[in-house]
Amino acid sequence: MKEWQKETVYQIYPRSFQDSNGDGIGDINGIISRLDYLQKLGIGLIWLTPMYLSPGNDNGYDIADYYKIDPVFGTMDDFEKLLTEAHKRDIKIIMDMVLNHTSNENPWFKEALKSKDNPYHNYYIWRDPVDGHEPNNWVSKFSGSAWKYVPELDQYYLHLYDVTMPDLNWRNENLRAEIFKMLTYWANKGIDGFRLDVINNISKDKNMPNDTFDTPLDDGRNFYTNGPHVHEYIHEMYEKVFGPNNFVTVGELSSTPISEAVKYTNPKRQELSMAFTFHHVKVDYTNGKKWTLGHYKLTDLTSILSEWQTQMQRHGGWNALFWNNHDQPRAISRFTNDDEYRDQSAKLLAMVEFGLQGTPYIYQGDEIAMKNAYFTDINQYKDHESINAYHAMLKNGMSEDLALQILQQKSRENSRLPMQWDSSKYYGFTTGQPWLKPQHHDDYSVEEVLKTKNNIFDFYRALIFLRKHKTVLVDGEYKLLNPRDNSVYSYERFNNKRKILVMANFTEQTHERDVAAGFDLILGNYGDMQFNHGKVTLRPYESVMLEKK
């Protein structure tokens, strides 16, 4: 069993975590000032979203220079101090790395624009026009065509994401050598691993055929997701960087089936430590479409989670467990109740996650039950994806009110509100004006939560402790109970020594469920359990973790 398999990862979105200099943007010194807080929580690793030099068109995922820290976050000296201080507290640092594309302000791309003969031109994916138009019909994840025409070269470059983020050409050996050199630079700094952004998109079908648009998923991704050479490229990274440095690595694998996720994460293949997959956070997409007012069925959610649990474990894969991240709205607002049952809901989601097989991730603010932003004006949004989606919805005839409601439910800006440290105007995040302003004042902050008895923060601490000390939660088998239950999610983790039962009521109603004899309560989000004659009564959003030896 690897250490990272029983540890917990805490994701920091630096821009929104803690500002130390009053400019309204979180920074490295702000993170350093909160390391004692994270040590108290009990986490073992921090995943930092990108802090490289960037124009910021995609909040740092558009990298202009892989070797420089963006001055908005601090200096390389600050970063090295963060590494030292984290390691003093036995906390490892995982850096986010974007290898599918760069910013168009990256020196490589500036060179690529100079001529077709420039050696950097082939660092990117270029195609000549077809009948005076784009080379194919692929759609950008940020809406519109995935191709941008450059008149001076009479060529198009591919950008699966924003137009300012051209895709890299991994078929080019010189590019790959440059990438490995850069990854080694960071390894030599003393970091402990990488989270690899959209890594399963780096290998494209060289023929670049048109897609069918038969479903929302037939938009080009059939020809670049888990492409022809992706596993050999990642194995090459493992051999040159990940393996020699004993790195913890996690790949962001969107639109990936279990069979592929197993290949990425089975240690025998020497690719990645674990996988982020997203099927469970798409259960409220109406007919596969994100930008809709969606509703979900619990049985859809439990079916997806259970299939990934059983199949990944059976075939030697490893899950990265999460509800929230910087690209998702807050799960407490999405799947449970962020109002009357806010505390219970936050604890329920935590318990369900920490009971599963895989490495659990906490996104900043989960541990104090932060919820969606509920913005009411498009001008409050900074996120390009959300703004583009809003205008696309209006163009398709949708009313402003409905488009804003959909953004309230689905926008990733919901998770990017600054961290709430205390009850002052901007929650102790900054002494200045925050880069993203909250619309409503919220009573939940670290300061206020820690004052309360049986609080959410301490509940997370208890779960982190259990993960470290009950190996059945790490290596035990998984079994879904009552797969047709649309109100209560019940599952078991078991080995030959003990069995753990998790039951979670995802509704505002009270439900009674049978429990076999011999189970004792380890943890519950109400603090006690109503158990009589082989039946447990689950109050609204109640979750319990029981153990049988």
Side-chain angles (χ1 to χ4, degrees):
M1 186 187 301
K2 302 275 190 183
E3 195 63 30
W4 51 262
Q5 292 179 310
K6 56 185 181 181
E7 286 288 357
T8 299
V9 186
Y10 188 93
Q11 183 193 350
I12 290 178
Y13 189 69
R15 178 174 291 271
S16 297
F17 191 63
Q18 178 67 69
D19 174 23
S20 71
N21 61 4
D23 67 356
I25 297 171
D27 49 43
I28 295 169
N29 284 321
I31 297 169
I32 294 170
S33 74
R34 297 297 184 180
L35 287 174
D36 287 343
Y37 166 82
L38 296 175
Q39 185 180 28
K40 181 180 179 183
L41 182 58
I43 56 104
L45 304 95
I46 292 170
W47 154 29
L48 298 166
T49 57
M51 298 191 295
Y52 314 97
L53 189 66
S54 167
N57 289 319
D58 190 25
N59 285 293
Y61 284 88
D62 48 328
I63 298 174
D65 192 324
Y66 284 109
Y67 292 90
K68 291 181 181 173
I69 296 290
D70 197 304
V72 77
F73 297 119
T75 66
M76 188 63 79
D77 286 345
D78 295 334
F79 180 77
E80 289 171 358
K81 183 182 177 186
L82 170 60
L83 273 178
T84 301
E85 292 298 322
H87 289 160
K88 275 185 193 173
R89 294 164 175 81
D90 293 322
I91 296 172
K92 291 179 166 31
I93 297 289
I94 297 174
M95 288 187 76
D96 218 320
M97 183 52 72
V98 188
L99 302 177
N100 179 72
H101 49 263
T102 70
S103 164
N104 61 354
E105 294 186 21
N106 192 293
W108 300 349
F109 192 70
K110 289 180 178 178
E111 287 293 318
L113 287 172
K114 289 180 178 177
S115 79
K116 296 179 186 179
D117 299 326
N118 190 293
Y120 287 96
H121 190 75
N122 199 33
Y123 272 36
Y124 296 89
I125 297 172
W126 299 88
R127 289 293 184 273
D128 295 332
V130 174
D131 298 328
H133 298 287
E134 293 85 354
N136 64 30
N137 64 359
W138 296 2
V139 175
S140 162
K141 305 278 188 185
F142 283 28
S143 72
S145 172
W147 296 94
K148 171 68 174 174
Y149 184 61
V150 179
E152 295 82 2
L153 298 172
D154 191 28
Q155 279 191 316
Y156 287 86
Y157 67 82
L158 179 69
H159 62 93
L160 294 181
Y161 296 86
D162 190 66
V163 68
T164 64
M165 292 151 58
D167 279 49
L168 289 165
N169 176 20
W170 272 76
R171 291 177 182 274
N172 183 341
E173 288 183 20
N174 293 332
L175 168 78
R176 298 206 301 278
E178 193 90 55
I179 292 287
F180 303 147
K181 175 185 160 191
M182 178 270 296
L183 297 177
T184 301
Y185 168 84
W186 287 105
N188 291 340
K189 286 280 181 192
I191 69 165
D192 304 288
F194 288 116
R195 179 265 188 188
L196 297 157
D197 187 62
V198 298
I199 194 64
N200 61 323
N201 292 343
I202 62 175
S203 174
K204 282 77 170 174
D205 185 322
K206 67 180 179 182
N207 296 318
M208 302 249 168
N210 285 322
D211 214 333
T212 63
F213 294 117
D214 288 346
T215 75
L217 300 180
D218 299 316
D219 60 357
R221 72 187 73 183
N222 290 313
F223 304 105
Y224 60 75
T225 305
N226 308 311
H229 300 288
V230 66
H231 292 289
E232 67 188 70
Y233 296 154
I234 295 176
H235 178 65
E236 198 175 356
M237 278 191 272
Y238 181 95
E239 286 190 311
K240 289 186 164 59
V241 186
F242 306 160
N245 290 287
N246 197 27
F247 269 5
V248 179
T249 55
V250 54
E252 182 189 26
L253 309 178
S254 188
S255 305
T256 295
I258 296 173
S259 57
E260 284 292 322
V262 166
K263 291 179 188 175
Y264 287 110
T265 61
N266 187 313
K268 292 176 183 174
R269 293 178 56 89
Q270 299 185 326
E271 294 187 27
L272 303 172
S273 307
M274 54 187 135
F276 279 127
T277 57
F278 300 90
H279 302 75
H280 68 295
V281 288
K282 295 180 180 177
V283 291
D284 57 354
Y285 287 17
T286 308
N287 299 320
K289 293 180 180 177
K290 175 176 179 175
W291 300 108
T292 55
L293 268 187
H295 304 281
Y296 80 101
K297 284 173 62 180
L298 182 63
T299 48
D300 291 341
L301 182 63
T302 59
S303 170
I304 290 167
L305 290 172
S306 299
E307 187 179 8
W308 279 86
Q309 285 289 293
T310 53
Q311 294 300 319
M312 286 286 273
Q313 191 167 44
R314 184 174 299 159
H315 299 290
W318 195 260
N319 294 289
L321 306 168
F322 74 100
W323 288 113
N324 295 307
N325 63 33
H326 63 290
D327 278 337
Q328 298 291 332
R330 292 280 182 181
I332 192 172
S333 305
R334 187 177 188 179
F335 297 120
T336 54
N337 182 308
D338 66 6
D339 187 19
E340 184 180 356
Y341 298 103
R342 186 168 174 180
D343 282 36
Q344 293 90 339
S345 292
K347 293 176 181 178
L348 175 148
L349 290 168
M351 180 177 283
V352 167
E353 176 187 342
F354 274 71
L356 297 172
Q357 182 267 355
T359 297
Y361 284 66
I362 299 171
Y363 178 67
Q364 62 186 49
D366 287 352
E367 75 279 15
I368 57 164
M370 282 184 66
K371 62 181 182 179
N372 278 355
Y374 296 109
F375 288 150
T376 54
D377 188 319
I378 190 60
N379 295 314
Q380 292 170 291
Y381 289 88
K382 311 278 188 188
D383 173 45
H384 285 221
E385 183 195 45
S386 302
I387 294 165
N388 290 348
Y390 173 81
H391 291 298
M393 287 187 274
L394 296 192
K395 191 176 177 182
N396 290 332
M398 190 178 289
S399 70
E400 286 186 22
D401 280 352
L402 182 54
L404 286 168
Q405 281 183 55
I406 290 168
L407 288 184
Q408 284 183 353
Q409 186 188 71
K410 295 286 178 58
S411 170
R412 60 188 187 175
E413 204 86 292
N414 285 301
S415 62
R416 298 179 178 186
L417 280 179
M419 182 71 179
Q420 294 165 192
W421 296 105
D422 62 34
S423 51
S424 60
K425 184 177 181 183
Y426 293 127
Y427 304 105
F429 164 70
T430 182
T431 54
Q433 296 289 311
W435 75 275
L436 184 65
K437 288 186 180 180
Q439 167 152 332
H440 311 283
H441 189 76
D442 187 3
D443 293 334
Y444 280 62
S445 67
V446 170
E447 181 182 63
E448 294 304 314
V449 165
L450 290 178
K451 286 178 186 174
T452 60
K453 193 178 176 185
N454 300 322
N455 62 65
I456 306 142
F457 182 91
D458 286 341
F459 196 81
Y460 267 98
R461 288 184 71 196
L463 287 167
I464 291 168
F465 179 86
L466 287 170
R467 288 277 317 185
K468 289 177 180 176
H469 294 91
K470 291 195 180 290
T471 57
V472 65
L473 290 173
V474 181
D475 61 13
E477 292 186 55
Y478 169 95
K479 182 182 179 183
L480 173 65
L481 308 176
N482 310 319
R484 294 181 182 173
D485 195 329
N486 236 331
S487 302
V488 177
Y489 179 18
S490 304
Y491 66 84
E492 288 179 347
R493 299 292 308 283
F494 58 94
N495 57 24
N496 55 7
K497 293 181 180 176
R498 67 188 69 217
K499 183 181 284 186
I500 284 182
L501 169 62
V502 173
M503 304 179 82
N505 176 10
F506 275 74
T507 75
E508 295 178 18
Q509 289 76 45
T510 297
H511 294 281
E512 225 178 45
R513 294 292 183 271
D514 294 331
V515 174
F519 278 101
D520 296 313
L521 180 68
I522 306 176
L523 193 62
N525 65 349
Y526 274 75
D528 62 354
M529 181 174 69
Q530 297 182 346
F531 184 70
N532 285 298
H533 306 295
K535 290 187 183 293
V536 62
T537 301
L538 294 165
R539 290 158 284 191
Y541 296 99
E542 181 167 8
S543 61
V544 292
M545 184 179 282
L546 313 173
E547 183 177 35
K548 183 179 184 180
K549 295 179 182 175

